[in-house]
Amino acid sequence: MSTSGPNRRDLRLGSLRTSYREGSADPRTVIGEVLARCDGALADGTLLSVIDRAAAEAEVGALLRRRGDAGSDPFAALPLYGVPVVVKDNVDVAGLPTTAGCEAYAYRPERSAPAVQRLEEAGAIVVAKANMDQFATGLVGVRSETPPPNALDPALVPGGSSSGSAVAVARGLVTLAVGTDTAGSGRVPAAMNGVFGWKAPPGRVSNDGVVPASWTLDCVSVFAADLAGALVAGRLLDPAGPWRPVSPGRVGVLDQVGLGGCAPGVVDGMRWVADRLDPTVAVVAVDSGALFAVGDLLYEGPWLAERTAAVGDFIAAHRRDVNPVVADIILAGDRWSAVDVYRSERTRRRLVRGPLEELWRRVDVLVVPTVPWLATLEEVAADPVDVNRHLGRFTNFANLLGLAAIAVPVPSAPRSHPAVPLGVTLLAPAGREGMLVALAELLTGEPDGALDQPAPTPGDVRARVELVVAGAHMTGFPLERQLLERDAVLVRRTSTDVHYRFHHLAARPPDRPALERVESGGRAIEVEVWSIPLARLGELMTLVAPPLAIGSVRLADGEERLGFVCESGGLAGAVDITGHGGWRSYTSGTDGDRGHPVATTGEGST
């Protein structure tokens, strides 16, 4: 990754912030240096258009005026103060044309996409629009008029469709780049160029001002050369996301069947990832069949028709202006019927509610290779469709499953290519993003200190309260969704103090436990602590079925937190399962006795 050299400033977010704070750089100088290098990036196909110098000067001047109002530390108010950014050319930037990689499609938007506006409001300066596979159709990065070169090895494809975005970051041209991700377009080029690629679950970041590929699946994504850059930008785009790092207890890795056909270095790298995990973390082998079956639906099912609906009419009228592979793929979407749509959606839901629901009960996060091997230009020229399909093997299913993802380069792991670090992707359902953050920090050795959030003031709509759960609301269990739907985030896993007995309630489904506070004869019970917006706690309380209510639970550190408690008399007929030490152990049939009926009463939590 070209971030240094005799005339090259290190533009990684952490380094750039240090330069600004020490006074060795200022935004006017940095943006000037970046623009001076943009002509070369235009010539080689990395960029498609660049902001003019007068407009850039005006943007920097406005930023410096805002800096005057920001106090001694501009990053407190402007987290991306003076940060140069490029934007994929299917995302609107006011003053620059949007082409979606096809010059004949060009239009000039009056305003920037909301995602771009968020970064600009945080102090970023957009300097250019980046090249891409036309109409975001492709994972190879060569389906454009002048494809950009891979930043690390010119014999490799750059990856797509956000090719120019990833290459610009990997070459050290800018600090951050905006991309999009539907089938892996924000992750595959990250892996091919050795940078980070982040995306939220679908629907969390506005797609307004984005030329659609698939309205239901498109995600705005971010590229960065350091973890801090990816996470700071990600938090700005998705401020409601659960960003506080939480160590996962169970990490899923694909079984040998799932890794079949991968390059040897990729397989060795996955072993390295598993070996690097904390000994207390369980590594769980995952059957890949259901994941790949969902992924196959994306390009072998009717979701392709969304692309036809979005830009098919234009392509039909401008075949000579469009890459022939892209045109053939998009125009083929009209073969699908409404019946096909419903059949495929039924298949997807059957997989989600069957084997994949079970998968997320067994693991907290999933680690997969980002790409099975590093594809070459020669390979793509010989077989443009199949190579593209195989590159998406580990990425296609993510958005159909509503997952958050971060592609991580792991330089110290075994490599499948001398110049390119192993790329892995960390995946998790919405609400578990904090686990992705913690795992990315562990794998890269790059703790991120830039995500501290200001404490909410009394009455602030951001005010949150911590809630203890010990059963059906825990990660991977049926009622976890009640927390996630109310913007709750997992803070930590811990246990109660030693003064609790644990019981399985004799009640209607779903199965629920209760904690009984005792003076003696108890033990510590595994629990999770979640943070939930105070304004939404009342909603959750209306869903708590008797005999449970909200009360106080004492934790191992002596602190007390709100939790679900059992009403007086609520333990009649319950089964004592204290010997298992927690709901997860009890339901998996491990650790401890099988329990026995009791007729006691006391406090409880679920």
Side-chain angles (χ1 to χ4, degrees):
M1 183 167 49
S2 301
T3 57
S4 61
N7 298 309
R8 181 60 60 93
R9 186 186 301 276
D10 186 347
L11 293 180
R12 289 175 295 181
L13 182 61
S15 299
L16 185 59
R17 281 183 164 183
T18 298
S19 297
Y20 282 156
R21 284 188 172 118
E22 294 176 346
S24 58
D26 65 82
R28 183 169 280 112
T29 300
V30 168
I31 299 303
E33 292 174 354
V34 169
L35 291 176
R37 295 195 296 270
C38 282
D39 288 343
L42 280 170
D44 68 17
T46 300
L47 304 179
L48 293 180
S49 60
V50 177
I51 189 172
D52 66 58
R53 269 54 175 180
E57 185 67 25
E59 292 287 341
V60 172
L63 175 66
L64 294 177
R65 289 190 292 274
R66 294 172 66 194
R67 163 69 176 87
D69 299 330
S72 59
D73 184 1
F75 301 107
L78 301 170
L80 296 181
Y81 173 75
V83 168
V85 175
V86 301
V87 175
K88 186 177 181 178
D89 207 22
N90 62 341
V91 181
D92 287 348
V93 173
L96 291 175
T98 299
T99 73
C102 176
E103 187 62 33
Y105 185 79
Y107 65 89
R108 193 173 291 270
E110 295 182 357
R111 64 181 63 185
S112 297
V116 175
Q117 292 177 20
R118 282 187 177 272
L119 301 183
E120 291 177 325
E121 289 166 0
I125 304 290
V126 175
V127 297
K129 300 296 290 294
N131 203 350
M132 58 182 286
D133 282 322
Q134 287 186 331
F135 300 104
T137 302
L139 295 174
V140 288
V142 299
R143 296 173 178 174
S144 60
E145 296 171 10
T146 306
N150 183 291
L152 302 178
D153 183 344
L156 300 176
V157 299
S161 61
S162 307
S163 53
S165 295
V167 170
V169 168
R171 289 173 55 185
L173 181 65
V174 290
T175 304
L176 300 172
V178 173
T180 61
D181 187 307
T182 304
S185 295
R187 290 163 280 156
V188 169
M192 295 299 300
N193 293 278
V195 297
F196 293 86
W198 166 90
K199 72 163 207 68
R204 287 263 285 273
V205 179
S206 172
N207 284 331
D208 290 349
V210 177
V211 178
S214 173
W215 286 295
T216 60
L217 301 176
D218 293 340
C219 296
V220 173
S221 70
V222 170
F223 297 90
D226 58 354
L227 180 61
L231 298 183
V232 170
R235 178 186 166 195
L236 288 166
L237 294 178
D238 182 21
W243 290 100
R244 181 179 299 179
V246 178
S247 296
R250 302 160 303 158
V251 173
V253 296
L254 296 184
D255 57 18
Q256 290 301 309
V257 173
L259 294 175
C262 290
V266 172
V267 177
D268 292 342
M270 292 303 296
R271 295 193 188 100
W272 178 92
V273 168
D275 291 343
R276 191 171 175 83
L277 298 177
D278 188 279
T280 62
V281 176
V283 179
V284 181
V286 170
D287 186 336
S288 57
L291 294 168
F292 293 162
V294 171
D296 289 343
L297 292 172
L298 188 59
Y299 281 120
E300 297 175 15
W303 278 272
L304 180 60
E306 287 195 287
R307 296 176 184 265
T308 312
V311 295
D313 289 345
F314 172 85
I315 291 175
H318 297 81
R319 285 295 298 259
R320 292 184 178 181
D321 299 307
V322 180
N323 178 280
V325 177
V326 171
D328 289 345
I329 290 171
I330 293 179
L331 294 181
D334 61 6
R335 73 181 185 271
W336 301 104
S337 70
V339 174
D340 295 321
V341 173
Y342 287 110
R343 283 175 176 164
S344 292
E345 175 59 14
R346 182 174 62 184
T347 298
R348 187 192 70 85
R349 293 192 183 195
R350 185 165 59 244
L351 291 166
V352 167
R353 294 173 178 174
L356 294 173
E357 185 175 85
E358 176 60 24
L359 182 155
W360 293 115
R361 288 190 183 190
R362 295 177 59 225
V363 305
D364 299 320
V365 301
L366 180 64
V367 182
V368 299
T370 305
V371 293
W373 89 102
L374 299 171
T376 66
L377 294 170
E378 183 178 4
E379 288 172 324
V380 172
D383 193 350
V385 174
D386 276 352
V387 171
N388 187 90
R389 179 183 293 114
H390 289 306
L391 279 181
R393 180 180 178 187
F394 301 115
T395 60
N396 284 349
F397 55 79
N399 288 0
L400 280 167
L401 297 178
L403 304 180
I406 181 167
V408 176
V410 190
S412 58
R415 295 178 178 233
S416 56
H417 186 281
V420 185
L422 171 74
V424 298
T425 293
L426 318 181
L427 297 155
R432 302 188 194 176
E433 290 91 330
M435 295 184 183
L436 302 185
V437 173
L439 188 53
E441 291 179 347
L442 173 65
L443 294 179
T444 62
E446 187 185 336
D448 175 68
L451 296 179
D452 296 334
Q453 300 189 37
T457 57
D460 193 326
V461 296
R462 298 174 299 167
R464 305 178 72 91
V465 64
E466 291 190 346
L467 182 71
V468 176
V469 300
H473 284 86
M474 293 175 72
T475 303
F477 286 92
L479 298 186
E480 179 192 15
R481 68 181 187 277
Q482 293 183 353
L483 292 168
L484 299 179
E485 289 168 354
R486 285 154 187 85
D487 300 323
V489 297
L490 179 62
V491 175
R492 65 188 184 278
R493 289 191 174 92
T494 184
S495 63
T496 67
D497 70 9
V498 296
H499 296 290
Y500 283 92
R501 302 292 296 177
F502 199 41
H503 306 281
H504 182 179
L505 293 174
R508 62 183 183 273
D511 288 348
R512 296 173 298 162
L515 289 167
E516 177 192 13
R517 181 80 179 168
V518 295
E519 291 302 320
S520 61
R523 66 171 288 179
I525 303 298
E526 176 196 9
V527 295
E528 292 179 350
V529 181
W530 287 68
S531 172
I532 184 170
L534 183 59
R536 309 205 68 179
L537 180 61
E539 296 176 27
L540 184 66
M541 292 174 64
T542 65
L543 302 177
V544 179
L548 299 176
I550 299 292
S552 178
V553 176
R554 182 170 294 173
L555 300 177
D557 60 7
E559 296 290 328
E560 292 194 357
R561 294 290 186 271
L562 293 179
F564 297 139
V565 302
C566 196
E567 297 171 350
S568 178
L571 290 177
V575 175
D576 190 320
I577 57 173
T578 306
H580 290 271
W583 190 242
R584 199 177 303 280
S585 295
Y586 171 66
T587 55
S588 65
T590 60
D591 300 331
D593 57 56
R594 296 186 59 82
H596 55 275
V598 297
T600 57
T601 62
E603 297 179 337
S605 170
T606 176

